Every structure is written in C-alpha cells, then in structure tokens.
Amino acid sequence: MKLSLNWIQEFVDYKLERGAQELGDFISLSVAEVEEVEQVGVALAQVKAIKVLSCAPHPEADRLQLATIDTGSEERTIVCGASNCRPGITVPFADLGAKLPITDKEGKPAILEIKKAKIRGVESTGMLCSEAELGLADSAEGILEMDDSIPAGTYLNTLEQYQGIEDIIFEIDNKSLTHRPDLWGHYGFAREFSAMFDLDLKAYPGENLELKDNGFSLKIDADDCRRYSSLRVKNVSVSDSPQWLQDRLNQSGINTINNIVDLTNFILLELGQPMHAFDIAKLKGQDLIVRHAQNGESFKALDENDYSLTEEDMVIAIGGQAEALAGVIGGDSSAIDESSNEILIECASFKASAVRRSATRHGIRTDSSSRFEKSLDPENTPLALARIWQLIKELCPDAELVGGMGDFYTQAYPEAQIETSYEFIEESLGCEVGKDFILNRLNRLGFDIEGDLKLGIPSWRNTKDIAIPEDIVEEIGRLYGFDNITPEALHTEDKVPQVNQARILERRLKDILSNGYGYTEIMTHPWCGDDELKAFGLSSEGLMTLQNPVSEDAKYMKPSNMPKIIKAVSENLKHFNSVKLYDFNRVYDTSQMVQELLPSERYQFTGALVPKSAGKKDLQTEAFYELKSTIANLLQVAGISTWQLSDYKDAPEWVHPGISCQFRRGRVVLAEIFKLHPAVAAKNKIKSNAYLFCVNFDELAKSKRKLKYEQVSKFPAVPFDITVQAPKQALAGDIQGLIRKGGGKSLLDVEVFSVYEREEDKTVSFRMHFAAKDHTLVHDEIHQLQKNVVAAILKGKYEIPNLPDDLK
Amino acid sequence: MIEDINKIVAEFTEKVNAEGDLQALEQIKAAYMGKKGPLTGILKNLRNLSPEEKSEVGQAANKAKNAMQEVMENRREGIIRAQIDAKVANEWLDFTLDEESQEIGALHPVSQMQYEIEDIFTSLGFTVQDGPHCELDFYNFEALNIPEDHPARDMQDTFYFENGAILRTHTSAIQVRAMERIKPPFKILGPGKVFRVERLDASHEAAFHQLEGMVVDEDISVANLIHTMKTLLSEIFQKDIKVRLRPGFFPFVEPGFELDINCQICNGKGCSVCKQTGWLELMPCGMVHPNVLRSGGIDAEKYTGFAFGLGLDRLVMMRHKIEDIRHLHSGDLRFSSQFK
Ligand SMILES: [Zn+2]
C-alpha cells in the first residue's frame, strides 16, 4: 500500500525533521515494513526559473543551440537541445550539482546529476528542464515554458502552482498489515504518527449524519453482514474529478473513473473503508436485501466478467437482482456514469472470512476485498458516509440528501477490556519504560484508560487485533523501540541437555559415508507422480495424495526413494564416469498410519555406487563386496553387531535377483544392497554397472551402541584351514555358519580365503582360529575342535575333499 | 700356530669380501668354518701343547672365529643391501597419475549449515527435536493460534492431502509436538524441511529448510530474546552482527518481530541485495503466544517463552553465493560435490 506523507499531515501536525529514508526506517521499526521510499517533487527545490536572453547556433551541431540565460544573479551560456528554446521565454533551470530523480530508459528510477560537461566541443554548465525531468510528467516534448511574470532566480517549490506536490510516498508491505485493519487507510497511519511522535490527532472530517428513512427498505438475510449503512443523494453531476482528487488516486495507483466513484475510492484510501455507489435510475426496485446467492445465480461485475455464484456467496440484491458481490465488487448494470443523477452509496461491514472465500472462489482480488479480509471496524461506516457527503457537496454543490443515513447494525463487536499492569509490561519487555510513557502512548493509540491498568480497546483495534495483555506489550515495545531494550542473557538454569541420539547417529553415518567412503550427499524432493511410479512398477494405490500439487509429477508422497536415486545416477553419469551418492531422506509408508491421517515417515539412507568403468580387476564382484562392507560397517557403527544375510525377498523390479542381499535381524530388514537390474538400467540409459543400497535408519537408531571391552588374550590362537566342496550356488555364509556351530566358543574367527569355481561345482577354503580364554589349547583339544568342525560341515551335506583319516 | 690362525683369518676375509653371491658366500663359510675347515684342524692339534700354550691358542682361535663370523655377517648384509639398492634404482613411478584415487565425498551444504547451527545451539543447552513432514492441521495451524480463515491456510500456500492432512508449512509445527513430550523449562531446536505451494524457479522452491528454536521458562523477556539472537548470529557469522527488531505479525507469537541483520554483502551501506536499505530480513521471532503454550499443555500464567525461525536455504545461498535455489534439490553432483 502506498502512503502519502502529505495526506497523513492533514490529520496530524508532523514536521519532517529527518531524512525521508530515515523516517521510512522509523515507520518500519515502529509500525509496519516500509519497502520503498519515494520522494516526489524533490526536483522542484533544486530548480529555479530563468529567462532565455538570446540563442545562437552551436558551431558543431545543427540540433543544438547555445543559449545565453539570466539566472537571476548572473548571465551564463549553456548548450540546449530543445527545439522550443528561444529568446524571451521563462524556463526551469537545473544548476551544477542538482540531482534530479528521473526514470531511465528501462523505466527504473535513476538520479540525473548535473555536472560540467563538454557537448560537442562547447562547455555547458547546467541544464534547461522539461516536465519529465522535473518529475511532473512521464514524458515531455521540449523544455517547460513557464509564466513570464515569474522573476528569474525563483525556486520552483516556492511557486503557488507547485504547492502540495512535494511529498514522500512510503510503499508499505501489505503482509505486515495483515493484522491491522485500521492501517489500510491514511487516517490510521496518522494515528500511528500521533503515537510515534506524541502529536495530537485531528478528528476525522465530516459532520454526523442524521438517521432517517431514505426510501429504500433494507433486510439483512445473511449472517456474514455486520452492518449495512447507506446514503441516498440526488442531483449529483457526474464528471471528471478535480485535479487534487485525481492526484491522490494516481499516487496510490488507483485509476480515476468519475468524481463519484473516485470519491468512494478516496475514502477507501483515507479511512480504509470500502464503499460502493449504485445509480438508482438503473435499479429494478427499492427493496434492498443482503442475502446469500442462489447456486448458479449469474452476476455481471464491474470488470465486465460474468460470474456464476454459489450459495456461499453473499450479494446485495435490489429489486430482486444481485447488484453487488458483497465486499468484493459491484455490478455492471447499476454502475455510475455521466448520466447518473441520483445515487445510493453503500457503506457496509462484512465478515472477513466470507469476503475472503468469495474473492478466492471467483479469483477476484479488489482493494475492497483485501480490506474486508482484515476484519474492518463496523464503527467506521457512519464516519465514511459523513466524509463522502462532505466531499460530494464540495464537488457537486447542487447535490441533496434524500432522507438521511440508513443504518442496519446487527452485529456490533462487544466492547472489550484488557486487565494488565505496568509491571507486566515492563517485565515482559525486560526493560523499564516508565509509567508516563506507557500512559501517553496508550492514550495516543485511543485506549480508554482506567486505573492501574484497565484498558478499553478502541473499536478499530477490537475486531481481532488486540485481545490480551501481550498485545499491549507489543504496542508499548514497538513505540518505545525494541532497539532501545538492553539485551539480557538468559537466566535459565541449564539442565543436562537431553541428547538426540538418532540425530547424532545420522550425522555420524553421513560423516562416514562422505568423509570416509567418499559418497556425496544429495537431496531429492518428497513427491512423485504417476509417470514415475509406472516407470518403476509401483502402484499409486493408498499413497498420500495432494489435492493441490504444484504439478502432476509431484502429486504423491513417494513410497520409495529408489526411483529418485536411479534417476540421479542416470543424470550424473552424463557428467561423470563414476558416481557415489546418497540421500538421507524419508519415505512415506501408508501401510501403517499414525494419528489416523498421517503416514509412517521412515528415515532411510539410499544411495548408489557406480565404480569407474576403466579398471583391471573383476569390478563387478569387487564393487558389490565393497558396498557390502561399507554397509556392514555402518551397521556396526550404529551398534548392531550381528545380523543375517539373506536373499532379497519380495524384490522390486529394480533389484538384480542374483546379485543382491538383505541384512536382516529376524524379520526386520536393516539394510539391502543390490545391483541395478539390467532392464531398469537400460530403461534409464545407465550403461555402467550400478550398485544401490538402502539402509533403514530407524532400525539402526533403535539400537544402542555399546562398546564392550574384552581382555586381550594371553593364549595363542591356533590356525586351521579347510577346503569344502559345494554346489555352485551354495552360500559360503551357510558353511561359515556350520563351522561356527562346530567350533563353538573356542572358535575365534573364520573367514573365506579362496573360492575356486569349477565346471560342476566350486571349492571354498576357510581359515579359522581356535583359542581358549583361560589356557593354551593342548593337542587333544585342538584335534577335537577340528573334528567337531568337520562333522558339522559334513552334516550340512557338503563334501570335504582330501580329508585326513584322523578327522573323519 | 697363532700366525697360522691369523693367516687363515686374513685369507678368509679376503675371499669373503671378494664374493658377491650369497650362495658362494655360504660355501666359503663352510670351507673355512665347517668341521673340515683349517681352524678345526688347528684346534685338533692342541693336545700337543702345554696348558699355557693351549689356553693362548684356544683364545686366539675363538677370537678368530668371532672375527670371521663378523666379516661374514657384514658381507652378507652388504650383498643384500646391494641387491636392494640395485632393485630400488630401477623402481620409479609417475606420481602425476591418479590410478587408485579415493576421493572423499561431501555433505550437502544445507546439512552442513544445519549441523553447524545445531552445534551452536546444543552448546547453549538446546536439544534437537523432530517432527513429521505430513502433519495434522492441529500442529501446523490450530495449536499455533492460526485461525481457520487465516490466509496462511489458503490452498495457494499450503499443500493439502486428500484426507485433510497437510504438508507442514513451517518448522513451528515441531514446537507443539515437542511441548507434548517435554516439560518446561526447556530450550529446543527443530530443524527440517518445510513445504509451500510455489512453482519452481531460481528463487522459489516448494521444499525448503527451516530451523525452529524455542525457549520456555519463568520470566522470559524480550530482552532475553534479543540477547540470545545476537549471541547466536555472532556465532553463525563469526563476527559481531548488528541486528534490529521490527514489529512483525505471526499469530503464534505476541509480540512478534522480524529480525533484520545489517547486510553482509555491503556491510549496511546499501546494495541491490538489501534493496538499498542496508538491512536483510533474516528471521521471524517473538514471544510465544500464551495460546500456543496452552495448546502444548503448559501453564501460560507461570511460563513465558520466545521462539524464532531461521531459513537455512537463504543462509546457505548467502554464504556460498549460490545463484539458483533449484540446485539444492537437483541431485547434481557437479553442485553437491563442491562442498567438501
Ligand atoms: Zn546490502
């Protein structure tokens, strides 16, 4: 919203004693955010009228002239390019050093500083100005010719004709006014000035109107109308508005239409109260009903669009026809035009939510609806009507009231009082502000003060804005200046902070993945769409579905992060020949709902490893096993020391069935790793071997990391090797399990040290160590352990070639 | 006899030192020091000598044996060393190649920023809290004193699910969940992703990151809030930061503020980033509205508090001068891998 300082000064005797920007900052700190400060007419104070004495052609350029001028104190010759420059005329002149705010070629504000310049070889000191250069017009032909009676040397801002043009316009951020219905007009800001600078606020102009029948019958048949006031005026002459009125509207960015419509908009800008005028001759009757629309009722608005209304909309129906969409926009059929003679002025108070819903439903945002949405003070309607009547009389001297003010006030806000205390205010701020200051400012803001400290809330702050003692703290704090409060350290006694173990684990695992194993973290969006689901063989059934997605491919909350990872791999392979990345993110599991409506959000690490394709070794198996050990290490860091490896059960289509496994604890899947299925790889244009992983972080976070120290054994470990013959697809892990069983407590460790693939089967060689905790194993014990291990393996139906007789 | 011994030693030494082959060296050793060697021969003749002579020759023979042993060892080491030196002389590699490079990865810059700030807060006694992305209206709006017809609830701003749940629009939703879990006094921190209906462009994202903080205790004042914010920002920016508080309206705080810091790009002189004002809007904050405390089951007569929110993406973009917010969720390693 644009705010004119001149306009504010009509209601409060504020003298500008600081820079415009500084005042803007002060408003930002005390009331609402000033986004921009524009100084209008600043050129006028820097430019004086001069007389052109003579003109001579420029020796080097046909289009330029050398003008000798009388500045009032001296004669000077300057270069001028205007074709209307000629001896005898009085024109504005900007001397060296003047800084004129202009609009540059791109339409952006800029400063034109007048400097000494050589123009085609001739020195020029100063510039003759056009209206555009003075900021008086958007564009201009030639220099401005002024009245010859103006003496040379007169500064333009002292001239009668330019009085009132110098102004400061503050552009206020509308968002910072959401809670302040009273600040949507200049008068409300004038009240803030009165409180900010301790100045008297003038009463809002206009004489009280008499309540009297005006011939229109009124019925309110909708709960969302608090008050409906009206004024009937005849003998108005509709024409263009006078300049001052046009200027006021233009300044605020509102188009001028005609004097009556402009006056309603003027009040909107001054008091913040929307109004509407109907041409009585065009109305179909004199019975006015505020009611809900019928479903499908059609309405042609002033914007010349046809709207189909619903029963949730509220209309002003006159003679049975909807003439206005309440609080939003007036109707086309009863619009004021040059022929209008008798008018009905509506000044009502509608409920915020109803207006907001109507405006949103039909996509019409007007200056009226945006004000009603803030919950306007219904006490304003008689003020607004009194003021407009005062101005109509000024503009149309023949105008007459028919009857008096019609007023239907069904829902006043109950008067409200806040009980608080000086101590509460000062303690809440943490600062001694002083009783006098508090009293003075609350008084200026219009509070009704009683005792120590009961506050009657003024009607314009009583619609939703102020209700509790904390609101008073804010009023005093902002006017005192939050910057003037001395910061004070928290006195809160520190309890031993509870540590969020899951977040610590998250960071630890990220640290290991990134700084240890060289994976880079990426972030992906939580959404997916039908295309993505379909491409990866997933169903949209039961997923969390957005009513208002930004786009179709962001409609559901993703049930798996793998599609995002696969896409990231595919994209990154365009730029890199190897990829190591992961995403720490959530997936949204709707199979188990929380608080009925919410999915279980499961934290996962999902990621991918694409090894460099240029290499010498068997990269395929190497990368898989590298990834396997990485994941195993993550589990261990999380405090999980044992798990089972199993086939990937119920594998999605992106999992290679033969090169994949799950880390499980019973039925719980801790993590899974797999090679990307070649078919999915091909579909996603991934030519390299890609290995992917998923770690179910929530399961890891459940586990407590416990480090248990065991004494370093003093007794030697005895090695034992054995080679087992097994079918090709036998799992070495299964045989290891048998060995562990056979070795029992004395088996220290067992590992595979070679696998030899043969035509029909394979041999797997294991190395293990035996040791006892409390003594050195003797020969017989060792022999027995070896026999136990062998027996366990044989029992598992594996063969042991070349088995020595003594172990059979 | 002693002369003979010396002669043998001299002869042995000469032969050993002339030999360059380890195997041949062993043969020389066997020939001189073995059972059939000359030294053994001399010792066999000892019995013909007087006790004094016996002892004298015996000692000399032992000494000679030790000396030969030492010569032998030195030579052996010399040969091995020469072999190694010969090998080393032939060994060379091109250190400019990167055959087995093991690069480290990087945490996402937003994670890095988040963790840094978390560390600052936890050192001030804050605990980290978490909450769901998919939220109930209650936690995101109702409990935060955001009334039903508040514009923030518009479908233009908030993602709504078909079942009526929403995507949280701010980390403030974490506040109430935390209050349900823990009792005052407390200092909590809630970082995380939040979502608003925005079309993606260089400066708009529908998913972004916030960090919410809340302190609740008896007698918390605006002066405490200002102090905490100043401390915090000085830690984040590693220098003294000028801040100012403007009135700002957020239904869940009263009084509410917009906190500005002096523009870090122009140092407050005015530039295009700060729209010539010298100030940058950084974080909304304020004293917790008593209704919010009540929603969290806290006695609002006894306790007061303050809360603040910090937009992480903007901080990250400011720190690294990132020109386009879309990089953050792009998954592009050309972006992410720069933050090692
Ligand atoms: Zn700046």
Side-chain angles (χ1 to χ4, degrees):
Chain A
M1 193 180 69
K2 285 188 175 175
L3 209 60
S4 146
L5 182 61
N6 282 349
W7 203 339
I8 288 171
Q9 284 168 326
E10 288 183 15
F11 304 114
V12 66
D13 272 326
Y14 172 73
K15 303 248 173 340
L16 186 63
E17 278 161 354
R18 53 183 95 201
Q21 184 62 51
E22 210 183 319
L23 177 58
D25 278 350
F26 196 70
I27 297 173
S28 282
L29 291 177
S30 317
V31 188
E33 186 180 0
V34 173
E35 286 186 314
E36 215 178 297
V37 179
E38 187 195 344
Q39 285 180 270
V40 182
V42 280
L44 298 174
Q46 305 179 65
V47 171
K48 53 191 171 186
I50 56 91
K51 311 278 176 189
V52 179
L53 301 175
S54 61
C55 291
H58 189 290
E60 302 287 330
D62 292 344
R63 291 202 182 158
L64 299 177
Q65 300 187 68
L66 304 181
T68 303
I69 58 167
D70 171 13
T71 68
S73 52
E74 55 168 343
E75 279 187 19
R76 208 188 280 185
T77 302
I78 58 166
V79 179
C80 179
S83 55
N84 63 334
C85 180
R86 59 187 191 277
I89 58 172
T90 305
V91 292
F93 169 69
D95 208 340
L96 296 179
K99 290 175 182 168
L100 310 181
I102 53 156
T103 307
D104 67 11
K105 282 173 199 154
E106 289 163 5
K108 286 185 190 150
I111 299 287
L112 172 66
E113 191 179 345
I114 311 297
K115 294 177 191 159
K116 206 182 265 187
K118 263 197 176 162
I119 301 171
R120 303 293 287 270
V122 181
E123 193 174 82
S124 182
T125 52
M127 184 180 80
L128 303 182
C129 306
S130 70
E131 273 195 289
E133 283 148 353
L134 296 179
L136 300 174
D138 290 338
S139 61
E141 283 286 321
I143 49 180
L144 172 64
E145 294 182 34
M146 302 170 69
D147 196 292
D148 290 333
S149 65
I150 301 168
T154 312
Y155 278 96
L156 267 57
N157 65 334
T158 63
L159 294 173
E160 176 75 35
Q161 67 195 101
Y162 294 129
Q163 290 314 300
I165 286 191
E166 277 180 275
D167 197 358
I168 300 172
I169 304 291
F170 300 104
E171 172 90 56
I172 308 281
D173 176 17
N174 288 349
K175 267 193 192 157
S176 71
L177 298 177
T178 338
H179 61 310
R180 293 293 300 269
D182 62 316
L183 293 187
W184 286 78
H186 283 76
Y187 189 68
F189 265 96
R191 188 183 290 112
E192 292 294 323
F193 269 61
S194 133
M196 279 155 65
F197 303 108
D198 192 16
L199 300 167
D200 287 337
L201 176 71
K202 292 175 190 163
Y204 191 61
E207 270 176 52
N208 279 350
L209 294 163
E210 208 184 335
L211 277 176
K212 214 189 226 174
D213 179 35
N214 58 23
F216 276 82
S217 72
L218 178 67
K219 200 173 143 200
I220 295 184
D221 203 6
D223 192 41
D224 290 327
C225 179
R226 292 183 176 277
R227 186 173 197 174
Y228 197 96
S229 313
S230 61
L231 204 60
R232 181 172 179 178
V233 184
K234 66 177 181 186
N235 296 336
V236 297
S237 47
V238 179
S239 61
D240 284 348
S241 292
Q243 195 59 45
W244 66 264
L245 181 52
Q246 294 196 18
D247 287 347
R248 283 284 187 241
L249 262 51
N250 289 340
Q251 233 166 37
S252 299
I254 290 186
N255 291 334
T256 53
I257 295 168
N258 56 50
N259 51 3
I260 299 299
V261 176
D262 289 355
L263 279 180
T264 62
N265 284 328
F266 177 87
I267 305 287
L268 174 115
L269 295 172
E270 192 173 73
L271 189 61
Q273 171 68 45
M275 299 173 114
H276 181 69
F278 304 101
D279 182 342
I280 291 179
K282 293 178 188 164
L283 296 175
K284 296 219 160 69
Q286 302 213 334
D287 55 320
L288 189 153
I289 303 179
V290 183
R291 59 158 169 88
H292 288 284
Q294 283 135 19
N295 270 333
E297 186 170 353
S298 71
F299 169 68
K300 186 167 191 186
L302 278 170
D303 62 6
E304 295 183 355
N305 289 324
D306 287 305
Y307 296 94
S308 173
L309 306 180
T310 77
E311 58 186 12
E312 284 176 70
D313 293 314
M314 200 170 30
V315 295
I316 316 303
I318 307 176
Q321 183 177 323
E323 297 290 353
L325 181 56
V328 183
I329 194 165
D332 188 50
S333 60
S334 55
I336 305 291
D337 59 33
E338 310 270 303
S339 71
S340 305
N341 175 273
E342 190 172 12
I343 60 172
L344 183 73
I345 303 170
E346 160 196 301
C347 188
S349 193
F350 304 111
K351 287 191 186 168
S353 50
V355 173
R356 193 169 75 86
R357 281 198 299 266
S358 265
T360 312
R361 188 177 307 122
H362 300 292
I364 329 170
R365 295 228 136 199
T366 58
D367 289 306
S368 165
S369 73
S370 61
R371 280 172 174 78
F372 277 120
E373 282 177 15
K374 311 298 181 291
S375 300
L376 294 181
D377 177 12
E379 297 294 321
N380 275 347
T381 64
L383 294 180
L385 287 174
R387 173 70 163 150
I388 201 167
W389 173 234
Q390 180 195 40
L391 293 168
I392 288 175
K393 273 192 297 185
E394 218 172 90
L395 266 51
C396 317
D398 295 336
E400 276 178 66
L401 282 185
V402 178
M405 181 175 76
D407 190 18
F408 234 74
Y409 196 178
T410 53
Q411 297 180 60
Y413 285 90
E415 280 184 20
Q417 213 177 34
I418 293 179
E419 275 191 59
T420 183
S421 65
Y422 298 108
E423 294 73 37
F424 177 78
I425 294 170
E426 294 193 324
E427 277 168 21
S428 300
L429 291 172
C431 173
E432 274 179 43
V433 179
K435 193 173 165 179
D436 290 345
F437 183 88
I438 295 176
L439 273 178
N440 173 285
R441 294 311 195 257
L442 290 176
N443 200 21
R444 292 284 182 211
L445 289 172
F447 285 90
D448 208 11
I449 302 167
E450 210 182 283
D452 281 343
L453 196 59
K454 277 188 189 167
L455 301 169
I457 305 170
S459 64
W460 55 90
R461 306 294 300 273
N462 190 26
T463 59
K464 68 167 187 181
D465 174 19
I466 288 190
I468 55 171
E470 283 78 4
D471 293 319
I472 305 300
V473 175
E474 167 155 41
E475 295 303 298
I476 298 304
R478 67 185 176 89
L479 291 171
Y480 182 74
F482 292 115
D483 273 357
N484 295 326
I485 295 174
T486 312
E488 193 188 314
L490 278 174
H491 51 81
T492 303
E493 252 179 70
D494 281 326
K495 296 189 284 190
V496 179
Q498 267 185 315
V499 179
N500 189 330
Q501 293 295 349
R503 301 313 280 254
I504 290 177
L505 180 64
E506 161 197 330
R507 288 170 66 166
R508 183 120 202 267
L509 298 187
K510 280 189 185 180
D511 184 40
I512 291 170
L513 272 174
S514 288
N515 297 326
Y517 289 110
Y519 288 80
T520 292
E521 184 187 15
I522 61 165
M523 286 187 179
T524 58
H525 279 133
W527 304 287
C528 63
D530 285 310
D531 289 351
E532 181 180 313
L533 292 171
K534 212 176 139 207
F536 288 92
L538 296 169
S539 157
S540 65
E541 211 184 294
L543 298 185
M544 290 299 286
T545 309
L546 287 169
Q547 289 181 43
N548 55 339
V550 171
S551 67
E552 273 301 299
D553 53 16
K555 206 161 112 185
Y556 309 107
M557 299 308 283
K558 62 189 172 190
S560 163
N561 203 37
M562 271 311 163
K564 304 270 185 230
I565 296 292
I566 294 167
K567 281 183 179 171
V569 167
S570 168
E571 285 302 310
N572 279 298
L573 282 174
K574 292 176 185 165
H575 313 288
F576 302 92
N577 64 16
S578 79
V579 169
K580 278 174 140 185
L581 55 80
Y582 69 94
D583 185 9
F584 178 71
N585 216 327
R586 308 181 190 191
V587 292
Y588 306 87
D589 178 0
T590 48
S591 68
Q592 261 181 301
M593 297 300 275
V594 188
Q595 294 179 299
E596 278 178 55
L597 300 178
L598 308 180
S600 295
E601 298 185 8
R602 311 214 186 273
Y603 274 114
Q604 292 183 337
F605 276 97
T606 44
L609 162 66
V610 180
K612 279 193 182 120
S613 47
K616 308 141 241 172
K617 295 169 203 159
D618 180 0
L619 280 166
Q620 171 135 327
T621 52
E622 203 169 80
F624 182 85
Y625 292 124
E626 177 189 321
L627 187 55
K628 185 185 155 198
S629 88
T630 302
I631 300 305
N633 287 340
L634 294 186
L635 298 187
Q636 275 185 345
V637 166
I640 298 175
S641 51
T642 57
W643 55 81
Q644 301 93 43
L645 287 172
S646 77
D647 286 338
Y648 201 126
K649 306 241 161 47
D650 306 319
E653 65 176 45
W654 52 74
V655 173
H656 188 304
I659 305 177
S660 55
C661 75
Q662 287 180 319
F663 293 70
R664 285 171 170 266
R665 213 147 58 166
R667 297 170 70 183
V668 173
V669 177
L670 302 169
E672 47 210 25
I673 56 173
F674 57 90
K675 184 182 177 185
L676 182 61
H677 195 290
V680 177
K683 237 194 315 193
N684 287 281
K685 302 197 170 62
I686 297 174
K687 290 191 182 116
S688 322
N689 291 323
Y691 299 86
L692 286 84
F693 65 89
C694 173
V695 176
N696 291 321
F697 179 77
D698 295 333
E699 295 303 331
L700 271 60
K702 279 182 200 161
S703 155
K704 283 225 168 69
R705 185 160 174 260
K706 274 192 208 132
L707 299 178
K708 210 172 124 206
Y709 168 72
E710 263 179 45
Q711 245 179 33
V712 179
S713 174
K714 297 183 191 113
F715 306 102
V718 184
F720 176 54
D721 294 354
I722 198 159
T723 296
V724 180
Q725 186 181 334
K728 276 212 153 158
Q729 295 214 340
L731 297 173
D734 289 350
I735 305 172
Q736 261 172 327
L738 295 172
I739 293 173
R740 283 204 190 88
K741 227 181 238 169
K745 276 187 188 164
S746 303
L747 183 79
L748 213 57
D749 56 45
V750 52
E751 63 177 19
V752 177
F753 70 86
S754 95
V755 177
Y756 181 61
E757 302 263 354
R758 304 195 295 198
E759 197 97 325
E760 302 281 305
D761 57 7
K762 65 181 173 190
T763 61
V764 187
S765 303
F766 297 90
R767 168 158 300 160
M768 64 206 81
H769 289 93
F770 299 119
K773 280 185 182 162
D774 48 1
H775 65 284
T776 303
L777 291 175
V778 297
H779 180 268
D780 283 354
E781 284 176 299
I782 296 168
H783 191 242
Q784 189 55 50
L785 284 167
Q786 292 173 342
K787 274 166 82 173
N788 291 350
V789 166
V790 166
I793 294 171
L794 294 176
K795 209 179 160 195
K797 302 270 189 282
Y798 295 99
E799 283 174 44
I800 302 176
N802 312 321
L803 182 65
D805 285 342
D806 63 331
L807 289 179
K808 275 178 186 160
Chain B
M1 269 173 134
I2 288 176
E3 276 165 34
D4 288 342
I5 291 172
N6 288 341
K7 215 172 120 192
I8 291 166
V9 172
E11 206 180 287
F12 176 79
T13 305
E14 195 181 329
K15 275 197 176 168
V16 164
N17 285 344
E19 188 50 64
D21 183 74
L22 282 176
Q23 240 175 338
L25 203 64
E26 290 306 320
Q27 281 164 14
I28 298 170
K29 186 185 169 189
Y32 278 83
M33 297 172 72
K35 283 177 189 159
K36 287 175 188 162
L39 214 54
T40 319
I42 288 172
L43 291 174
K44 272 180 189 159
N45 295 331
L46 276 187
R47 70 186 104 115
N48 304 330
L49 300 179
S50 67
E52 292 77 24
E53 279 172 327
K54 255 187 206 168
S55 136
E56 197 186 338
V57 174
Q59 276 178 19
N62 265 336
K63 227 172 117 188
K65 217 173 172 179
N66 287 341
M68 287 161 76
Q69 197 74 43
E70 203 186 316
V71 167
M72 183 69 197
E73 277 311 311
N74 284 342
R75 186 60 197 145
R76 197 200 317 261
E77 267 175 37
I79 291 170
I80 291 171
R81 176 61 200 237
Q83 283 173 348
I84 292 173
D85 285 348
K87 202 173 153 208
V88 167
N90 278 317
E91 279 175 344
W92 179 86
L93 62 75
D94 179 353
F95 52 80
T96 62
L97 297 178
D98 296 306
E99 291 273 293
E100 296 279 331
S101 72
Q102 300 257 336
E103 284 166 48
I104 61 162
L107 261 66
H108 195 281
V110 171
S111 297
Q112 294 187 30
M113 178 64 89
Q114 180 188 323
Y115 297 152
E116 261 177 55
I117 297 176
E118 278 182 15
D119 288 344
I120 294 166
F121 275 105
T122 46
S123 76
L124 294 171
F126 282 72
T127 62
V128 181
Q129 300 287 326
D130 203 356
H133 292 165
C134 303
E135 252 308 358
L136 298 176
D137 183 282
F138 175 77
Y139 293 101
N140 196 75
F141 292 130
E142 199 184 320
L144 293 171
N145 201 36
I146 301 173
E148 206 161 303
D149 60 349
H150 193 274
R153 291 190 174 202
D154 258 5
M155 304 230 355
Q156 294 165 23
D157 293 310
T158 304
F159 284 112
Y160 280 88
F161 289 108
E162 283 177 351
N163 70 1
I166 57 163
L167 274 172
R168 72 176 176 206
T169 60
H170 45 200
T171 41
S172 310
I174 297 174
Q175 282 183 10
V176 188
R177 287 196 175 267
M179 284 189 282
E180 287 179 350
R181 286 193 292 262
I182 51 179
K183 293 291 148 239
F186 59 71
K187 301 187 219 172
I188 55 168
L189 186 67
K193 277 192 208 298
V194 298
F195 310 91
R196 304 258 173 99
V197 181
E198 292 271 14
R199 288 218 162 260
L200 218 58
D201 67 29
S203 50
H204 294 94
E205 243 289 1
F208 48 101
H209 301 84
Q210 280 184 350
L211 193 144
E212 185 83 5
M214 189 189 204
V215 174
V216 174
D217 198 353
E218 292 174 46
D219 304 326
I220 299 276
S221 70
V222 174
N224 294 142
L225 177 147
I226 300 174
H227 186 271
T228 310
M229 295 301 100
K230 279 196 155 172
T231 311
L232 171 74
L233 291 167
S234 302
E235 289 270 352
I236 292 178
F237 289 93
Q238 291 293 305
K239 57 178 169 175
D240 233 13
I241 289 287
K242 254 183 57 199
V243 310
R244 68 173 195 186
L245 289 183
R246 286 185 285 116
F249 174 66
F250 311 98
F252 38 99
V253 285
E254 189 63 59
F257 313 106
E258 286 283 6
L259 184 145
D260 297 340
I261 59 169
N262 60 326
C263 177
Q264 296 299 294
I265 312 249
C266 65
N267 273 323
K269 288 189 201 88
C271 67
S272 63
V273 174
C274 58
K275 292 189 206 148
Q276 310 303 332
T277 61
W279 295 97
L280 285 176
E281 191 174 302
L282 188 72
M283 57 204 286
C285 53
M287 307 302 290
V288 182
H289 197 290
N291 288 352
V292 175
L293 292 174
R294 278 180 213 120
S295 312
I298 290 173
D299 180 357
E301 298 292 316
K302 187 173 173 198
Y303 291 103
T304 51
F306 62 79
F308 51 90
L310 197 56
L312 290 179
D313 308 70
R314 271 217 24 230
L315 279 181
V316 169
M317 291 176 73
M318 248 160 72
R319 169 184 282 186
H320 300 292
K321 302 198 164 59
I322 295 169
E323 81 295 358
D324 191 330
I325 197 169
R326 283 171 292 195
H327 289 312
L328 299 180
H329 278 98
S330 65
D332 191 336
L333 292 176
R334 290 173 299 168
F335 170 77
S336 306
S337 63
Q338 294 184 37
F339 303 94
K340 282 172 189 162

